[in-house]
Amino acid sequence: MRPAHRRERPGQDDGLHMERTLLAWTRTASVLGAGGLLAAGISARHSGEGVAVVVFVLAALCGAVLLARSGVRHRRVQRAIGGGLPLDDQADAVLAWLGVVAAAAGALVFVLTLP
C-alpha cells in the first residue's frame, strides 16, 4: 500500500533527480575528457600545428577536473537542498563551457590547418 501523503506523477520518480543530475554531469565530463584526448591524438598525428593539440588537451583537462569534482558537487547540492540554501554551481558551469569552447576552437584550428 502506498503512503497517503504521496501524490502519483506518471513518468517521474520522486527523489532521483539529484542522481540523474550527477549522472548527466559525469557523462558530460567523461565525454569532454575522452573526446579531448582522442582529438588531441588525432590532431598530433595528422596536422603539423601544435595549437590544436594544446586546445584539445585543455578541453580534456576541463573534463577531468569536472569529473573529479562531480562527487563534491553532488554532496554540496544535497546539503544545499536539504538545508534550503542557494545552489552555487557557477564554477562548474563555467568550466564545462570553457571545455566545450576549447573543443570547438580546437576543431576549427584543426580543420583550417589541414594540409
Side-chain angles (χ1 to χ4, degrees), residues 88-109:
D88 183 24
D89 281 340
Q90 188 67 29
D92 294 325
V94 168
L95 194 57
W97 179 82
L98 178 64
V100 170
V101 168
L108 180 66
V109 169

Side-chain angles (χ1 to χ4, degrees), residues 14 20 22 26 37 43-45 72-73 77 82-83 86 96 98 104-107:
D14 289 335
R20 285 191 295 264
L22 172 65
T26 303
L37 287 178
S43 180
R45 282 189 213 104
V72 173
R73 180 186 332 97
V77 167
L98 178 64

Side-chain angles (χ1 to χ4, degrees):
M1 181 163 181
R2 295 180 191 253
H5 69 279
R6 214 173 136 179
R7 288 188 339 197
E8 287 296 318
R9 292 182 286 180
Q12 191 171 16
D13 295 327
D14 289 335
L16 295 178
H17 55 279
M18 286 190 289
E19 285 75 13
R20 285 191 295 264
T21 302
L22 172 65
L23 290 173
W25 275 102
T26 303
R27 277 191 308 268
T28 302
S30 298
V31 168
L32 192 57
L37 287 178
L38 180 67
I42 291 170
S43 180
R45 282 189 213 104
H46 294 292
S47 174
E49 192 67 34
V51 175
V53 175
V54 172
V55 179
F56 282 134
V57 169
L58 176 64
L61 183 63
C62 288
V65 171
L66 280 174
L67 189 59
R69 288 181 43 90
S70 63
V72 173
R73 180 186 332 97
H74 181 65
R75 286 188 296 277
R76 198 176 50 206
V77 167
Q78 281 184 322
R79 270 185 266 143
I81 289 175
L85 302 171
L87 298 176
D88 183 24
D89 281 340
Q90 188 67 29
D92 294 325
V94 168
L95 194 57
W97 179 82
L98 178 64
V100 170
V101 168
L108 180 66
V109 169
F110 176 70
V111 168
L112 292 178
T113 58
L114 279 176

